Amino acid sequence: MNFSYNWLQLHFDDKLPKPEDLGSVVGLHSFELEGIEEAPHGDTLIDWDVLPNRSSDSLCYQGMAREIGAVLDISYKKWMKPEIVDESFDANLKTSDFVRLVVEEGVQRATKRIATGVQVGPSPQWLVEMLESIGQKSINNVVDITNYVMWETGQPVHAFDYDKIAGEGAKQVDIRYAQDGEKVTDLTGAEHKLDSSMLVIADSEKALDIAGVKGGENSGVDKNTKTVLLSACNFDFQNIRNTARTLKLHTDASKRFENEVPVSKIDDAMLQFAYLMRELAQATVSDEIVDTNPDKEGNREVKLSVSTTNRILGLDLSKEDIVSILKRVGCEVSQDGDDEFAMVVPIDRPDISFAGDLIEEVGRLYGYENLEAEMPTDGFPLPEISNLTKATRTISDRLLALGFYEVKNRTLAESGVVELANPLNKNAGFLRSHLGSDLVAKADRNLAYTDEPRLFEIGKIFSGMDSTGVLETWHWAGVIGRRKIKEKQKQELFLQTKGVVDSAVDALGIKLVWESHEDPAIGAHAVVSVGDEHIGLVGVNWWEINMSLMLPHIGKEISYKKPSKYPRIDRDVAVFVPVETTVSEAEELIKGLLPEETRSFELFDIFEKEDPSAGSGRKRKSFAFRMVFQSDTETLSDEWANKVMDVVYKALEKKGYEIR
Amino acid sequence: MSDMTFIDVTAPGSRQKQGNLHIISSTIREIEDIFTRLGFEIAEGPEVEDEWHNFDALNVPENHPARDMQDTFWIKGVDKTVLRTHTSGVQNRAMMEKKNPPFRIIAPGRVFRNEALDATHEAQFHQCEGLMVGKEISLANLKGVLLQFLQEFFGDDSVSLRFRPGYFPFVEPGIEVDVTCTKCHGENKECNVCKGSGWIEILGAGMVHPHVLDSAEINSKQFQGFAFGMGIERLVMLKYGVDDIRDFYDGDIPFIEQF
């Protein structure tokens, strides 16, 4: 809220620090300083962002003056120009002769007071200037008074032209719920259609205003007004919030009611309202206030201890220090003790309800800038690193080294299994059920920058729901982007993809089982498993794997073997095989024949070629394997290796493969 | 001259092309590493959260504006279920799991707000929550831990911080934390990062509200602690001058490869 510096100054006998300094000192101890700007009449506006829990007491000059007094530790005056000295008004004029008040639930308190002989006219210059300095236009003395009272006390008040209220004698005024579709035209001439959740102030014929939000046109004060019904009420804050939101009608009044104006503020506001009507509009004001809830709120007492205060803040304050700070915000000791004591808190500080709230007051007014930074010394257990963190980091690092970029796509998607009740727009009405399609789209987008964008993502997907909850899982997916994939490139590209996936999970000690699968929707692909569990799919140039299912399998088992001191022998074998033969078939055949001295055995080349013996364009495949032999106890001879290979050759030939 | 072969050492070496982590991930990793060194454990929580964990357990009152349709995404067909609006929901989960203080955790993750997109607003972004509970964990300790973190994160021992009063229902006292401007160090009145104030608002924090401890069945008479939460995108935007939050989710390699 923008506060007028000159207006605030009127609450103090001491000279306030200059606006920049006042702005920052309050900014550090109370509310963030949003800005400072010049205002009309040589004034300065200071914009403080009053905190939500303090909006009930500090969205007004009385409240902010008290806050500044507490921060600067100087005394402030609740009442300023004009100072209110005479609190009694006309005893012969009875408000109850003019009005009967009937209210419904949701109205915490309603008060009315009659003023006769009102002279509507221009406001005095000082009032015009004060309102102008905060950007408010002067209308006439009565309307300006209502505005002024609200800015001063934080309690919205309203002036009804009594003669526009229907009825005779003691006219009945209701605060009731509107009928569905009931219309009210506000002071600016705008019409609002209400519903039955909204409160109106009404006479026997019509709604006079939208309670807590805005006055009505049909009951407003004009230049002919002679008798004014002064009104100050307090409503359920949530009701006003809903009304303002539904009508999209956010006013200075609704903003204050939404923030729970303390009920007791009515007393201050009614007093100032009546006083100013008498002084500035020459009104005769009734001494009698018709009040639906005159019971005073009791004092609230909050207990506090010196030791807890110091333990929470990490300070070493004495009881005297604490008490003197809390007195600055208007608290008084009500029950004394060595360590524990009780304080009565100001009635209009509903944010203070337990010890922690008082500790906050002590902390901020003592000054957080005076708090030393201290590292904790409690004995804490050492942190464990979760499998999720391990897997995420290991997989990511492997993929980076293989040229992959990590992207983060949006969770909200156009389609999925789990739907939002209140989406932002219809392209984002679901939670994603997989990562793949967005990733492929991002790869296509990146073809503008590079010929082979390699992308991956690790993120949550939402795969199902029932009445008790939503199933969410960590997935990791990747893609090797290509402009176009030709049929004959598919095998080679698939092996690249497979190589990436295998080397990423290899670092986690996971061995995937690969099985071929066909699905017309996604083409040829592999289903990968850990143990007996299917955990994902790998296509020609993409993969998507359920990482949550992978996590329990993480962990490398290492059985150490002393490295051999003897030389190794390498042997290759290459064979032509029928085109439908898989690598694993050939591998299985050879593996069973290899001796225990075999250190490694792997495929190192594969290609397809026309089969000259079959003719008519039939193809055959070539597999080339390399094996390495090495003994732990002796130097192996060429003869030894030749013998091993003879066995292998014979078996391959017997199977019908052609040795190259 | 000898017959030694000439080698042009100025020609570029043949390098294996490397990819890159997304800046959000690498920032989270950096934060995790700093806090892990300080003894914090990394915790995790669901992105679809029940209303109780997201609001009730955090002392956010029934009628708080945050619960309105306007700010929170609600799940259709599942009662009282939301896309989490902050990582603070992990507080209760972590405390219930750990049971006995002392403990200290951080919980990075994705959060959601039902807000129209613009340069500074995204329906999804990332936060990191921190929580430390023990017998004597104080506001002064919060200052100590955060100072250590921020100096390491910005790689600058001269970074200092200041506490201002703030309001979050799940802490009391509530604190807004500012850090000295990493761009102008308070020396440029025209600075576009700190707007000449020399300070940047960087995270929200405070002492865990007793109701929050109680709802996790931790005795608030015996234990106390601090919590904090920071926006990852905001940290990155400050550190590197990224000016549009939507850039994070475009997936463009020219964006990703820079960090």
Side-chain angles (χ1 to χ4, degrees), chain A residues 86-186:
Chain A
D86 179 2
E87 292 195 7
S88 66
F89 295 89
D90 201 310
N92 298 320
L93 185 64
K94 291 271 182 220
T95 303
S96 50
D97 292 340
F98 288 78
V99 68
R100 276 186 304 123
L101 195 50
V102 181
V103 302
E104 292 207 45
E105 218 172 295
V107 183
Q108 335 232 56
R109 186 180 177 191
T111 63
K112 305 282 169 204
R113 193 170 206 176
I114 200 76
T116 59
V118 177
Q119 292 180 29
V120 179
S123 291
Q125 195 55 30
W126 66 262
L127 181 52
V128 174
E129 285 186 10
M130 280 174 91
L131 291 174
E132 281 178 355
S133 72
I134 58 166
Q136 300 281 314
K137 221 175 87 193
S138 170
I139 312 279
N140 61 46
N141 53 357
V142 177
V143 174
D144 289 357
I145 288 168
T146 61
N147 271 328
Y148 175 84
V149 170
M150 182 191 70
W151 293 112
E152 257 299 276
T153 64
Q155 166 69 48
V157 297
H158 190 66
F160 290 99
D161 183 333
Y162 179 75
D163 295 325
K164 294 176 184 169
I165 299 173
E168 296 291 329
K171 300 176 182 176
Q172 179 165 329
V173 170
D174 288 286
I175 305 182
R176 59 164 169 86
Y177 288 95
Q179 283 138 21
D180 273 319
E182 188 170 358
K183 286 174 183 158
V184 172
T185 303
D186 72 27

Side-chain angles (χ1 to χ4, degrees), chain B residues 95-182:
Chain B
M95 287 193 278
M96 292 296 275
E97 194 181 313
K98 295 277 171 199
K99 289 190 179 68
N100 300 313
F103 50 72
R104 42 193 163 177
I105 59 129
I106 57 162
R110 190 173 278 199
V111 302
F112 304 86
R113 297 277 167 89
N114 197 344
E115 289 184 321
L117 268 64
D118 64 30
T120 52
H121 295 92
E122 250 288 347
Q124 70 173 38
F125 54 102
H126 295 77
Q127 286 186 338
C128 183
E129 192 76 7
L131 176 71
M132 186 167 199
V133 178
K135 281 203 163 84
E136 309 260 313
I137 298 304
S138 69
L139 204 61
N141 293 148
L142 172 67
K143 208 174 196 182
V145 167
L146 287 180
L147 183 63
Q148 184 81 34
F149 164 71
L150 290 168
Q151 288 182 343
E152 287 206 39
F153 183 79
F154 288 105
D156 182 352
D157 283 350
S158 71
V159 164
S160 62
L161 59 77
R162 72 176 187 191
F163 281 5
R164 286 183 291 108
Y167 173 70
F168 312 97
F170 33 97
V171 285
E172 185 74 65
I175 303 286
E176 296 275 3
V177 182
D178 295 338
V179 65
T180 38
C181 181
T182 49

Side-chain angles (χ1 to χ4, degrees), chain B residues 10-258:
Chain B
T10 68
S14 37
R15 305 208 303 184
Q16 174 67 44
K17 193 162 167 39
Q18 302 281 306
N20 207 6
L21 276 185
H22 193 281
I23 183 61
I24 295 295
S25 293
S26 49
T27 304
I28 288 176
R29 214 188 254 208
E30 209 180 332
I31 293 169
E32 286 176 350
D33 288 346
I34 297 170
F35 279 107
T36 308
R37 284 203 296 280
L38 292 170
F40 284 71
E41 188 159 302
I42 303 164
E44 204 236 334
E47 290 175 11
V48 171
E49 186 61 284
D50 56 75
E51 195 181 4
W52 190 84
H53 279 97
N54 198 68
F55 295 123
D56 300 66
L58 292 165
N59 196 39
V60 180
E62 190 77 53
N63 41 39
H64 194 276
R67 293 202 190 199
D68 285 3
M69 295 295 266
Q70 311 235 317
D71 305 304
T72 307
F73 285 117
W74 296 79
I75 304 294
K76 194 172 183 174
V78 194
D79 208 23
K80 294 173 183 264
T81 305
V82 302
L83 275 176
R84 63 175 172 186
T85 57
H86 46 200
T87 43
S88 308
V90 183
Q91 284 190 23
N92 179 275
R93 292 180 179 278
M95 287 193 278
M96 292 296 275
E97 194 181 313
K98 295 277 171 199
K99 289 190 179 68
N100 300 313
F103 50 72
R104 42 193 163 177
I105 59 129
I106 57 162
R110 190 173 278 199
V111 302
F112 304 86
R113 297 277 167 89
N114 197 344
E115 289 184 321
L117 268 64
D118 64 30
T120 52
H121 295 92
E122 250 288 347
Q124 70 173 38
F125 54 102
H126 295 77
Q127 286 186 338
C128 183
E129 192 76 7
L131 176 71
M132 186 167 199
V133 178
K135 281 203 163 84
E136 309 260 313
I137 298 304
S138 69
L139 204 61
N141 293 148
L142 172 67
K143 208 174 196 182
V145 167
L146 287 180
L147 183 63
Q148 184 81 34
F149 164 71
L150 290 168
Q151 288 182 343
E152 287 206 39
F153 183 79
F154 288 105
D156 182 352
D157 283 350
S158 71
V159 164
S160 62
L161 59 77
R162 72 176 187 191
F163 281 5
R164 286 183 291 108
Y167 173 70
F168 312 97
F170 33 97
V171 285
E172 185 74 65
I175 303 286
E176 296 275 3
V177 182
D178 295 338
V179 65
T180 38
C181 181
T182 49
K183 186 170 182 196
C184 75
H185 305 279
E187 281 161 17
N188 179 6
K189 284 279 157 225
E190 312 281 291
C191 177
N192 60 354
V193 173
C194 67
K195 299 186 183 75
S197 72
W199 294 95
I200 313 165
E201 191 173 316
I202 203 146
L203 51 84
M207 295 298 289
V208 181
H209 196 291
H211 289 174
V212 175
L213 294 169
D214 291 339
S215 67
E217 293 164 21
I218 285 172
N219 184 347
S220 60
K221 300 252 183 307
Q222 220 181 334
F223 295 104
Q224 59 183 45
F226 63 70
F228 58 84
M230 56 190 142
I232 309 291
E233 278 83 351
R234 181 171 168 76
L235 285 176
V236 174
M237 289 169 97
L238 285 173
K239 197 167 171 180
Y240 300 104
V242 177
D243 61 0
D244 192 329
I245 194 168
R246 291 167 294 194
D247 291 348
F248 289 104
Y249 302 109
D250 282 345
D252 290 343
I253 290 175
F255 176 85
I256 301 165
E257 68 185 354
Q258 291 183 53

